[in-house]
Amino acid sequence: MIRASKNRVMNRRTTAAVAAAALLVSLAPPAGADRPIVVENRELFLKSQEAAQQALEYYGELDDPATQRRLTEIGYRLGEQSPFRKMPFTFYLVDMAEPNAFALPGGQIFLTRGMLELGLDDDMLAGLLGHEIGHVVLEHGIRMKRRATLLNVLSQAVLAGVIIGTSNSGRRQPTSPYDPTGGDRRNTGDVIYGTAAAGALVSELLLRSYSREYEDEADDEGQRLAAGAGFDPAGTRKLMDSMRAHLPQSRDYGYWRTHPFFEERVKAAEVRQELLKIQQPERASVYRRATQATLLELAAGARDKPAVAELLERQALLAWPEGAVADRLRLAELRKVRDAELGKQELRRDLGALLSRYQRNLEEVRELTPDSTLVATLESELADFRARRDALYPKAAEVFRGGIYETGFLETFLSNYPEAPEVPEVALALATAYTRLGREAEAVALYLQAAQAGPESEPGRRAERGLRSLAGVLERLDALARLARDGEDPELRRLAAERLDRLASTYSELANGAAYLKSFPDGEHAAAVTARLNSLAEKLYGEVVLYQTVGDHVKGIERIQKILTHAPNSPAADKLRERMVLES
């Protein structure tokens, strides 16, 4: 009772303080957008940008242009409202199933696929992005010493490693960083490099919670920015309600793990939303052009790091996709892809993908700046690609009928000629090739495509036979799930569903479970697959400890890589990160 009474007093005090702060910020003048962005700490920005580039490589970038555009537009409307001009903001979509959002000190804001799948409206997304922008504006990442240390090492991930410290008698023994003046201490643990090392560090850097004070400050700043940008600050509360309804309330999962003190934050958000006045929305065009100019200037200074420079140029185009500079950036990017594709052997050219990319950019330019001279340029190049593709069709069809071809030829045929009469048989041939290569999920999709030619057609009958022969031996969970969902034959669907039921809790490879969860995060077997994934990761963790003990670091590293790649959110991965020590 005494504790409850104290909590009520603290809640009243917190509510009063929040109300006063919200009233003050609601009366503050807008930040304005005409001030230049001056990067005061270029070293910090470039380290953050390298970390962003490595995070995209490790987790994978989500290819969704429409959502990326929406994310960017909302993000820059929020950024304009802040007086913060020390770093340019950039916005990224990462292909992570875990619902989350996070920020780097250099202004890089990340949103995961799992968070998007919660179905956020613009007000909710503004509250979420405002919170992460708030962490940058208030320099929380810089003020947290451990994050700064990790960021410093992460920027050199190619040369730097991560030591997973050895254990004695099941207890973690922290190891010290490798000391180049004191001798090589790699025998105290497994040192991992490359994308797995970057992934481990990104997880430690980004997916650990801030303090209660910092989370409260970021909530406050985020709601203020949202209201100033014309969004309803009640979106923050709606966001929290959505996550409460969709996510398990576990401190070990997603947003709950990285954003603690949830109930207190909900109450504070409710108070603020009543006091903040929604302003008239603006497009933030001046601010976005200034961001573009800054990003291009930074890209020019990063030519010794081509991947970073290229990413900055892509972000510059997203920052402001209109006008002469945007046209130049867009055309340069498209022609780089064009030259790479046309440099291939002619029957291996994926002109279908090239046409799709050009068409998507043409439609965007027509929408944004219909009078741009780039419209005519893209139309002309599109016509040229179509002519090249159509001229190759007789030769491609003849090669297919000849029966001597490679898998890559079949792949490009389907992309280039999706309406050709040979498509069912090409899909069937490619499905057979994928089956031999162990690419079961892709094989099932192609068999299904061939079967759509009609059950009475020859390709349809052969596809059904192929699916029946696979159904009883398939190991890939995502392939079985697709077959159980999309198969035309009820008996075939039943066989696939029964096998999936058995394998969901007994499969043996981490990658198998990870692939299912990526394709079917809300599938009916997701809980069983996740439990098995965690169990397999825990077993591998035990093997890591064993191999470290006997000094077999090669096998230890192999298992560490598997855990961090395929089960990064498992308890085993958490234990590895807890034992992580940096070396440079």
Side-chain angles (χ1 to χ4, degrees):
M1 292 295 292
I2 295 175
R3 179 176 296 175
S5 176
K6 287 182 178 179
N7 286 340
R8 283 195 294 270
V9 171
M10 290 179 66
N11 285 337
R12 285 197 297 270
R13 290 175 178 171
T14 300
T15 300
V18 167
L23 183 59
L24 286 173
V25 298
S26 68
L27 296 175
D34 54 352
R35 291 185 305 284
I37 299 170
V38 179
V39 181
E40 298 179 359
N41 189 336
R42 288 179 176 247
E43 182 183 10
L44 175 65
F45 174 83
L46 288 175
K47 287 176 180 177
S48 291
Q49 193 61 40
E50 286 182 77
Q53 186 255 331
Q54 290 164 5
L56 292 175
E57 285 186 7
Y58 181 71
Y59 290 113
E61 190 169 7
L62 190 64
D63 184 17
D64 187 341
T67 301
Q68 178 68 66
R69 184 173 170 185
R70 175 182 172 228
L71 175 72
T72 302
E73 289 179 353
I74 292 174
Y76 282 123
R77 281 172 58 182
L78 296 167
E80 181 189 40
Q81 295 303 308
S82 171
F84 181 83
R85 295 296 183 270
K86 296 180 181 180
M87 298 284 179
F89 288 108
T90 50
F91 302 91
Y92 304 88
L93 293 173
V94 288
D95 195 8
M96 289 176 62
E98 182 177 8
N100 225 320
F102 40 84
L104 284 168
Q108 297 83 6
I109 310 296
F110 293 81
L111 191 67
T112 69
R113 168 172 55 88
M115 186 62 82
L116 289 171
E117 288 170 351
L118 296 182
L120 310 185
D121 64 25
D122 285 357
D123 294 326
M124 295 160 72
L125 185 54
L128 180 62
L129 293 176
H131 176 94
E132 298 306 328
I133 289 172
H135 281 309
V136 178
V137 168
L138 300 167
E139 300 186 328
H140 290 158
I142 298 172
R143 289 155 60 188
M144 292 185 72
K145 185 177 180 181
R146 178 155 172 74
R147 288 171 186 250
T149 302
L150 286 163
L151 184 61
N152 185 58
V153 178
L154 181 56
S155 68
Q156 306 170 47
V158 174
L159 301 177
V162 176
I163 297 174
I164 303 297
T166 58
S167 291
N168 293 323
S169 302
R171 297 192 312 173
R172 181 168 66 90
Q173 301 292 325
T175 52
S176 300
Y178 167 67
D179 182 359
T181 64
D184 191 345
R185 300 190 56 202
R186 294 181 187 182
N187 60 355
T188 63
D190 291 331
V191 184
I192 56 174
Y193 296 89
T195 56
L201 285 165
V202 167
S203 296
E204 179 70 15
L205 178 68
L206 302 179
L207 302 184
R208 297 301 181 200
S209 60
Y210 285 101
S211 69
R212 180 172 187 163
E213 176 189 2
Y214 286 175
E215 293 292 354
D216 287 342
E217 288 180 359
D219 282 345
D220 181 70
E221 183 74 6
Q223 278 187 285
R224 185 186 69 80
L225 295 175
F231 298 98
D232 189 343
T236 296
R237 171 58 195 267
K238 288 168 60 182
L239 172 69
M240 293 179 177
D241 286 343
S242 177
M243 287 185 295
R244 194 202 313 270
H246 288 89
L247 304 182
Q249 295 195 38
S250 166
R251 288 292 177 88
D252 295 326
Y253 188 81
Y255 196 87
W256 306 98
R257 177 174 63 178
T258 60
H259 296 74
F261 326 117
F262 195 78
E263 294 303 328
E264 292 88 341
R265 293 172 61 207
V266 170
K267 293 174 184 175
E270 289 175 336
V271 174
R272 277 190 294 265
Q273 73 190 36
E274 298 301 324
L275 297 170
L276 288 166
K277 182 179 179 181
I278 303 174
Q279 304 299 316
Q280 289 296 318
E282 295 183 5
R283 198 177 173 208
S285 55
V286 174
Y287 175 67
R288 294 181 70 172
R289 282 194 290 265
T291 300
Q292 181 186 73
T294 301
L295 290 172
L296 288 175
E297 189 263 331
L298 290 164
R303 293 301 175 195
D304 57 328
K305 298 173 180 175
V308 172
E310 182 177 339
L311 184 57
L312 286 170
E313 289 180 348
R314 283 173 49 206
Q315 289 298 316
L317 177 58
L318 287 168
W320 187 243
E322 303 178 23
V325 174
D327 285 352
R328 175 178 61 79
L329 290 169
R330 194 187 302 274
L331 189 59
E333 182 180 340
L334 286 171
R335 285 185 169 169
K336 183 177 180 180
V337 175
R338 175 203 67 182
D339 293 345
E341 204 61 48
L342 295 183
K344 298 177 183 177
Q345 191 272 335
E346 61 178 5
L347 289 179
R348 294 294 298 272
R349 295 172 184 167
D350 192 346
L351 296 175
L354 189 62
L355 283 165
S356 295
R357 189 160 186 164
Y358 262 76
Q359 186 64 43
R360 186 174 69 230
N361 277 270
L362 174 60
E363 290 170 0
E364 186 171 350
V365 175
R366 281 174 174 163
E367 177 186 349
L368 296 174
T369 51
D371 58 346
S372 169
T373 58
L374 185 59
V375 170
T377 301
L378 296 182
E379 288 175 337
S380 174
E381 295 196 12
L382 269 167
D384 176 61
F385 300 147
R386 291 192 186 100
R388 288 172 181 263
R389 180 198 60 183
D390 295 345
L392 275 176
Y393 172 66
K395 184 176 181 179
E398 181 181 359
V399 168
F400 178 67
R401 287 192 296 270
I404 301 175
Y405 40 72
E406 298 178 347
T407 302
F409 165 78
L410 297 173
E411 292 169 336
T412 56
F413 191 103
L414 289 178
S415 176
N416 292 338
Y417 311 110
E419 305 299 327
E422 297 88 357
V423 162
E425 291 197 53
V426 174
L428 192 62
L430 187 55
T432 303
Y434 281 167
T435 300
R436 291 196 300 267
L437 294 170
R439 297 167 64 173
E440 294 180 348
E442 294 161 289
V444 166
L446 286 162
Y447 275 130
L448 290 170
Q449 180 181 353
Q452 290 173 358
E456 301 307 317
S457 69
E458 179 59 24
R461 286 193 295 268
R462 290 166 59 196
E464 287 292 338
R465 289 197 297 269
L467 288 171
R468 283 184 176 279
S469 67
L470 273 179
V473 297
L474 279 175
E475 296 292 332
R476 281 286 298 264
L477 303 176
D478 53 348
L480 285 165
R482 182 182 294 273
L483 189 53
R485 184 190 66 183
D486 299 337
E488 294 288 335
D489 185 346
E491 178 64 13
L492 189 58
R493 291 201 304 270
R494 182 187 65 79
L495 290 172
E498 288 178 353
R499 184 163 177 78
L500 180 58
D501 284 339
R502 292 194 300 272
L503 290 181
S505 57
T506 61
Y507 66 93
S508 59
E509 294 293 332
L510 282 179
N512 194 358
Y516 172 88
L517 292 172
K518 181 175 181 179
S519 297
F520 301 94
D522 298 318
E524 64 175 293
H525 296 86
V529 172
T530 300
R532 178 63 175 170
L533 187 79
N534 291 340
S535 176
L536 291 171
E538 191 65 30
K539 180 183 177 184
L540 286 178
Y541 177 80
E543 293 177 8
V544 169
V545 174
L546 173 63
Y547 286 122
Q548 286 181 330
T549 302
V550 300
D552 193 340
H553 298 294
V554 173
K555 290 182 178 177
I557 290 171
E558 288 175 354
R559 284 148 179 80
I560 291 169
Q561 297 263 17
K562 286 183 178 180
I563 294 171
L564 294 177
T565 300
H566 301 302
N569 303 317
S570 66
D574 284 340
K575 287 194 283 189
L576 285 175
R577 285 189 285 264
E578 287 171 4
R579 294 173 55 190
M580 196 172 65
V581 181
L582 308 177
E583 90 159 2
S584 61

